[in-house]
Amino acid sequence: MNRAEDRNIRIPFGNCPKVYRAINRWAIFGCPFGTPVNRSRSSILFAVLALATMLVGCRRDMFQQPYSKPLEPNDFFQDNHMASRPLVANTVARGHLNADQAFYTGKVGTNLVETFPFPITREVLEQGRERFDIYCSPCHGRTGEGNGMIVQRGYPPPPSYHIDRLRQAPVGHFYDVITQGYGIMYSYAQRVEPADRWAIAAYIRVLQKSREAKLAELPPAERAKLEEQK
Amino acid sequence: MAQIFGKSSSSIARVSLVSGFFGFFVFWGVVYMIYWSSWTTAKGVPREQEVPFSHQHHVSGLGIDCRYCHTSVEKSSFAGIPPTETCMTCHSHVWTDAPMLAPERQSLATQQPLNWKRVNDLPDFVFFNHSIHVQKGIGCSTCHGPVNLMPLTWKAHSLYMRWCLDCHEAPEKQIRPRDQIYNMEWQPPPDQRERGLQLLKDYHISQQRLNQLRDCSMCHR
């Protein structure tokens, strides 16, 4: 005789027993059984625990793992506080033996080399043009006249490539300047790889040639094209 | 025994059912908005640096190529942050007494690197390699946005996995010719889909490769 209807109280959704039962079981989170008092206590506990597990998501251990990426600061090393380490003195990094003196320094003994250490193909020249436009043109200009954008903004102008001294300079000179720097020009050894330095030297020769090539030197097909345009 | 449900229980139950239903969507809507907001992703928020370096000035104003400073982008997983020496290549003679470059000069004098803060930093459980992306036709601006227009550098995208997958699932939408990789103004042409599919062939990206791009282990190694 304990049924609610008999005691004449209104029960929410009392005339829909399915809904009523569902609310009764599940509206109070997680504890479908037990007395009402136990239910509310354990549901509060359950909610607190559920929120606590969400806090685990705040940990960033996997985002910042205890390993170092390139150039990251790291206080383990006291000399430069960097994760990246300088080479130990007198060691040679793999692939950096650089035994071929002419190729890696542009010199034989103290004399600048006169010839390229590998055959210059169209691909090499294309590569040279690309590297020249990236690393050299800001100062030397795309045509090598020494009037690049940085010079226009106040950097002391470098000499044009189209002067006699540089026309007659051996190719090793250009390689050596890129590698060692020259005057106020910094070394580009860290930025441009040896093969690319030679490619740039070859492209400088192309720029120089472009100013003094004679029509008669052109291959007949190219020559015909030019004469058509005249 | 006292009554468990009083007279108002009925209305309370109805109101809480209705508000529970809408509350569910409101709650997850708010979570979604916070998750994708720039407050969480730092997207579009300029990051403060010791030296207020302007990509806009150096790229758009002076026409310097990305690779002049980020030298290892074509060969390494890491594009490279330039050493002080690179800045000083020009700034040893240009703007030599500008106060904003004082940290640069100090760095050169003391041989201590500047502490540039990373703008685009992926979580450590993600493997990412710059060189393969630029070799296979993904340009700088696809991920980094219009860096050439940024007076201070900010993140252009959320770098969330969903965003990575947008491209990994359909690379033909973004893939470009090799000579356009460093062009910051490149936009997909109207017939990008056909061009993209052709470029996938040109870059020897097979169907098998495309499937691998969606593998978990492609990035989570």
mmCIF file of all heavy atoms in Angstrom, chain B residues 2-20:
data_model
loop_
_atom_site.group_PDB
_atom_site.id
_atom_site.type_symbol
_atom_site.label_atom_id
_atom_site.label_comp_id
_atom_site.label_asym_id
_atom_site.label_seq_id
_atom_site.Cartn_x
_atom_site.Cartn_y
_atom_site.Cartn_z
ATOM 1 N N ALA B 2 8.566 11.236 4.796
ATOM 2 C CA ALA B 2 8.230 12.491 4.104
ATOM 3 C C ALA B 2 8.097 12.244 2.604
ATOM 4 O O ALA B 2 8.707 11.324 2.069
ATOM 5 C CB ALA B 2 9.319 13.531 4.354
ATOM 6 N N GLN B 3 7.329 13.108 1.971
ATOM 7 C CA GLN B 3 7.164 12.949 0.532
ATOM 8 C C GLN B 3 8.460 13.347 -0.195
ATOM 9 O O GLN B 3 9.088 14.357 0.117
ATOM 10 C CB GLN B 3 6.020 13.827 0.067
ATOM 11 C CG GLN B 3 4.694 13.238 0.453
ATOM 12 C CD GLN B 3 3.570 14.109 -0.018
ATOM 13 O OE1 GLN B 3 3.794 15.145 -0.613
ATOM 14 N NE2 GLN B 3 2.364 13.697 0.288
ATOM 15 N N ILE B 4 8.764 12.547 -1.180
ATOM 16 C CA ILE B 4 9.994 12.817 -1.928
ATOM 17 C C ILE B 4 9.755 13.949 -2.925
ATOM 18 O O ILE B 4 10.554 14.858 -3.084
ATOM 19 C CB ILE B 4 10.457 11.556 -2.669
ATOM 20 C CG1 ILE B 4 10.676 10.443 -1.658
ATOM 21 C CG2 ILE B 4 11.744 11.820 -3.433
ATOM 22 C CD1 ILE B 4 10.760 9.088 -2.293
ATOM 23 N N PHE B 5 8.614 13.894 -3.598
ATOM 24 C CA PHE B 5 8.308 14.893 -4.613
ATOM 25 C C PHE B 5 7.204 15.812 -4.142
ATOM 26 O O PHE B 5 6.117 15.358 -3.811
ATOM 27 C CB PHE B 5 7.881 14.227 -5.908
ATOM 28 C CG PHE B 5 8.968 13.393 -6.506
ATOM 29 C CD1 PHE B 5 8.855 12.017 -6.550
ATOM 30 C CD2 PHE B 5 10.113 13.987 -7.010
ATOM 31 C CE1 PHE B 5 9.855 11.255 -7.106
ATOM 32 C CE2 PHE B 5 11.114 13.222 -7.566
ATOM 33 C CZ PHE B 5 10.996 11.850 -7.616
ATOM 34 N N GLY B 6 7.524 17.136 -4.101
ATOM 35 C CA GLY B 6 6.502 18.091 -3.712
ATOM 36 C C GLY B 6 5.671 18.485 -4.923
ATOM 37 O O GLY B 6 5.797 17.931 -6.011
ATOM 38 N N LYS B 7 4.843 19.539 -4.739
ATOM 39 C CA LYS B 7 3.925 19.918 -5.811
ATOM 40 C C LYS B 7 4.638 20.539 -7.005
ATOM 41 O O LYS B 7 4.193 20.445 -8.138
ATOM 42 C CB LYS B 7 2.885 20.893 -5.266
ATOM 43 C CG LYS B 7 1.837 20.186 -4.440
ATOM 44 C CD LYS B 7 0.591 21.017 -4.343
ATOM 45 C CE LYS B 7 -0.556 20.158 -3.836
ATOM 46 N NZ LYS B 7 -1.799 20.911 -3.703
ATOM 47 N N SER B 8 5.767 21.206 -6.720
ATOM 48 C CA SER B 8 6.449 21.888 -7.832
ATOM 49 C C SER B 8 7.328 20.937 -8.642
ATOM 50 O O SER B 8 7.866 21.319 -9.672
ATOM 51 C CB SER B 8 7.302 23.030 -7.273
ATOM 52 O OG SER B 8 8.206 22.515 -6.309
ATOM 53 N N SER B 9 7.472 19.736 -8.186
ATOM 54 C CA SER B 9 8.390 18.802 -8.849
ATOM 55 C C SER B 9 8.080 18.637 -10.324
ATOM 56 O O SER B 9 8.973 18.531 -11.172
ATOM 57 C CB SER B 9 8.322 17.437 -8.174
ATOM 58 O OG SER B 9 8.665 17.561 -6.841
ATOM 59 N N SER B 10 6.804 18.636 -10.623
ATOM 60 C CA SER B 10 6.422 18.394 -12.005
ATOM 61 C C SER B 10 7.015 19.449 -12.936
ATOM 62 O O SER B 10 7.636 19.125 -13.954
ATOM 63 C CB SER B 10 4.906 18.387 -12.108
ATOM 64 O OG SER B 10 4.522 17.939 -13.363
ATOM 65 N N SER B 11 6.845 20.741 -12.572
ATOM 66 C CA SER B 11 7.387 21.798 -13.439
ATOM 67 C C SER B 11 8.908 21.749 -13.463
ATOM 68 O O SER B 11 9.542 21.929 -14.509
ATOM 69 C CB SER B 11 6.931 23.172 -12.955
ATOM 70 O OG SER B 11 5.882 23.060 -12.055
ATOM 71 N N ILE B 12 9.512 21.494 -12.303
ATOM 72 C CA ILE B 12 10.980 21.429 -12.252
ATOM 73 C C ILE B 12 11.480 20.346 -13.199
ATOM 74 O O ILE B 12 12.422 20.548 -13.972
ATOM 75 C CB ILE B 12 11.461 21.147 -10.811
ATOM 76 C CG1 ILE B 12 11.181 22.368 -9.925
ATOM 77 C CG2 ILE B 12 12.953 20.824 -10.797
ATOM 78 C CD1 ILE B 12 11.517 22.151 -8.476
ATOM 79 N N ALA B 13 10.825 19.217 -13.192
ATOM 80 C CA ALA B 13 11.266 18.124 -14.053
ATOM 81 C C ALA B 13 11.157 18.520 -15.511
ATOM 82 O O ALA B 13 12.065 18.282 -16.310
ATOM 83 C CB ALA B 13 10.427 16.893 -13.772
ATOM 84 N N ARG B 14 10.014 19.188 -15.858
ATOM 85 C CA ARG B 14 9.844 19.560 -17.268
ATOM 86 C C ARG B 14 10.916 20.556 -17.682
ATOM 87 O O ARG B 14 11.568 20.417 -18.717
ATOM 88 C CB ARG B 14 8.465 20.168 -17.486
ATOM 89 C CG ARG B 14 7.410 19.088 -17.542
ATOM 90 C CD ARG B 14 6.082 19.612 -18.039
ATOM 91 N NE ARG B 14 5.073 18.593 -17.750
ATOM 92 C CZ ARG B 14 4.029 18.776 -16.966
ATOM 93 N NH1 ARG B 14 3.842 19.942 -16.410
ATOM 94 N NH2 ARG B 14 3.179 17.801 -16.752
ATOM 95 N N VAL B 15 11.100 21.578 -16.827
ATOM 96 C CA VAL B 15 12.085 22.613 -17.170
ATOM 97 C C VAL B 15 13.477 22.005 -17.285
ATOM 98 O O VAL B 15 14.229 22.268 -18.230
ATOM 99 C CB VAL B 15 12.077 23.734 -16.111
ATOM 100 C CG1 VAL B 15 13.283 24.649 -16.292
ATOM 101 C CG2 VAL B 15 10.789 24.537 -16.202
ATOM 102 N N SER B 16 13.796 21.116 -16.336
ATOM 103 C CA SER B 16 15.169 20.583 -16.387
ATOM 104 C C SER B 16 15.341 19.645 -17.572
ATOM 105 O O SER B 16 16.431 19.559 -18.141
ATOM 106 C CB SER B 16 15.525 19.877 -15.074
ATOM 107 O OG SER B 16 14.524 18.974 -14.717
ATOM 108 N N LEU B 17 14.290 18.967 -17.991
ATOM 109 C CA LEU B 17 14.424 18.117 -19.183
ATOM 110 C C LEU B 17 14.699 18.962 -20.426
ATOM 111 O O LEU B 17 15.609 18.686 -21.204
ATOM 112 C CB LEU B 17 13.134 17.319 -19.394
ATOM 113 C CG LEU B 17 13.085 15.935 -18.753
ATOM 114 C CD1 LEU B 17 11.791 15.257 -19.129
ATOM 115 C CD2 LEU B 17 14.279 15.112 -19.181
ATOM 116 N N VAL B 18 13.877 20.032 -20.554
ATOM 117 C CA VAL B 18 14.042 20.888 -21.735
ATOM 118 C C VAL B 18 15.403 21.582 -21.720
ATOM 119 O O VAL B 18 16.155 21.568 -22.694
ATOM 120 C CB VAL B 18 12.895 21.920 -21.793
ATOM 121 C CG1 VAL B 18 13.169 22.949 -22.881
ATOM 122 C CG2 VAL B 18 11.582 21.211 -22.038
ATOM 123 N N SER B 19 15.730 22.153 -20.535
ATOM 124 C CA SER B 19 17.009 22.885 -20.490
ATOM 125 C C SER B 19 18.182 21.910 -20.581
ATOM 126 O O SER B 19 19.234 22.245 -21.118
ATOM 127 C CB SER B 19 17.105 23.734 -19.221
ATOM 128 O OG SER B 19 17.007 22.894 -18.093
ATOM 129 N N GLY B 20 17.988 20.679 -20.084
ATOM 130 C CA GLY B 20 19.055 19.685 -20.232
ATOM 131 C C GLY B 20 19.302 19.376 -21.691
ATOM 132 O O GLY B 20 20.445 19.277 -22.140
#
